[in-house]
Structures are given as C-alpha cells and as structure tokens.
Amino acid sequence: MVCAETPFRAQDRSRMPTRRPFVNISKTGASILAIALLLAPLTGHAFEPAELTLAGEQYQVELAVSREEKQQGLMHRVRLPEGTGMLFIYTTAEPTRFWNRNVRFPIDILYFDANQAFLHGDTHVPPCPELPCPVYQSGQPVKYVLELPAGSRERLDLQPGQEFTFR
C-alpha cells in the first residue's frame, strides 16, 4: 500500500525487492504453449489405435479402456470419418448406458457380448447439444461397445451373432 504522505523517491527503488519472473520463457516458447493449450480441447486424449474387422470391412478404431477414456469418448470432435470408430472395452460384461452429449455428429452404437458377437444397436443416434440428453442402454451385459458413423449398421447389414476381430 502506498501512503499519500510519503512521496516515492527514485533512490528508494534500490531498497525494494526485485521481482523475478516465475518462469523464464521466450516469445517462441510462449507461442507454442498457447497453441498447445488452445488445441488441447480439440485433440483430446490420445487413445490407443487398433484395427477392427466387422462384416468383412476394416476399421481404424480408437480403444476406450480406462474410465477417463470412456467418459471422453467422441466428445468435442468435429466429425467421425467413414472407416473409423471407437471401441469401448469393459473388463467384465455389464449393462452399459451411453449418450451423445457434446458429440457433433450422429453415430451408431453397437453392442457386443464377451465373444465379440453382435447383440443389437442404436442407429442414427443424434447429437445432443443441450441437456437433458437421451440415454441409450445396452439392456443386457456387454463387454464391447462400438461407435461408428451413423448408417454403418444398415450399410453392413449387421445381424445378431456376427462377430468382429481386432488387433
């Protein structure tokens, strides 16, 4: 606090503690850091990739295994290109619930048992920009849930019992 009665003199500056920057970073470093921080929400978590084959077609999928990865899912992405998807893997078969909150495009949600056999799916699940969002349930224990671009189930003519493989 500065007292109005005592004028500040230049020679008093030498008695003041010097401030040191908390982090010494160049302008280039600051620019890189700013870009990284801005892009972080867009790129999200780096999921482990895998190749999946379903109904004779190959897909490049991202694996959602941890709780955090499952919560993140496809949120905040701009699109889901054909031939790509996300595979949610559970340690044991259990009933699951999904919603399309903060996903910007429609998807198919496909449910598979512990033998990787297709059970059923929710197709053309629309984006949900505002709460409340509809919840899509497996209705029975599943070990795998595959999210693909909307219309994939119909295009593949996927029937109960068809299996997928992945590596």
Side-chain angles (χ1 to χ4, degrees), residues 1 33 54 56 64 93 97 121 158 161:
M1 182 153 98
L33 179 61
L54 176 62
R97 298 165 35 121
L158 198 55

Side-chain angles (χ1 to χ4, degrees), residues 114-132:
N115 298 317
Q116 296 169 263
F118 177 66
L119 299 170
H120 68 93
D122 293 306
T123 59
H124 298 278
V125 174
C128 179
E130 296 178 4
L131 293 175

Side-chain angles (χ1 to χ4, degrees), residues 129-167:
E130 296 178 4
L131 293 175
C133 295
V135 175
Y136 301 88
Q137 300 184 43
S138 64
Q140 63 194 85
V142 297
K143 181 156 173 141
Y144 304 96
V145 177
L146 178 62
E147 292 182 342
L148 294 175
S152 295
R153 179 184 177 197
E154 294 160 345
R155 188 178 52 72
L156 294 171
D157 191 29
L158 198 55
Q159 301 299 316
Q162 283 184 274
E163 297 178 359
F164 73 87
T165 60
F166 75 101
R167 54 184 164 105

Side-chain angles (χ1 to χ4, degrees), residues 29 71 113 141:
Q71 288 175 344
D113 67 15

Side-chain angles (χ1 to χ4, degrees), residues 37-152:
L37 289 173
L38 287 172
L39 291 178
L42 300 176
T43 58
H45 174 79
F47 293 88
E48 181 180 341
E51 289 184 13
L52 182 140
T53 304
L54 176 62
E57 289 196 22
Q58 294 229 321
Y59 290 88
Q60 297 299 315
V61 297
E62 294 173 282
L63 303 179
V65 180
S66 72
R67 181 176 180 213
E68 294 78 21
E69 290 169 335
K70 290 173 187 164
Q71 288 175 344
Q72 175 66 35
L74 295 172
M75 288 194 318
H76 305 294
R77 300 196 185 191
V78 177
R79 63 189 184 96
L80 182 62
E82 286 296 324
T84 65
M86 182 165 285
L87 181 64
F88 296 78
I89 303 173
Y90 296 88
T91 52
T92 59
E94 59 187 67
T96 61
R97 298 165 35 121
F98 283 77
W99 65 352
N100 218 8
R101 177 77 174 139
N102 293 322
V103 177
R104 300 176 183 175
F105 41 84
I107 60 173
D108 287 354
I109 303 174
L110 309 175
Y111 305 98
F112 295 82
D113 67 15
N115 298 317
Q116 296 169 263
F118 177 66
L119 299 170
H120 68 93
D122 293 306
T123 59
H124 298 278
V125 174
C128 179
E130 296 178 4
L131 293 175
C133 295
V135 175
Y136 301 88
Q137 300 184 43
S138 64
Q140 63 194 85
V142 297
K143 181 156 173 141
Y144 304 96
V145 177
L146 178 62
E147 292 182 342
L148 294 175
S152 295

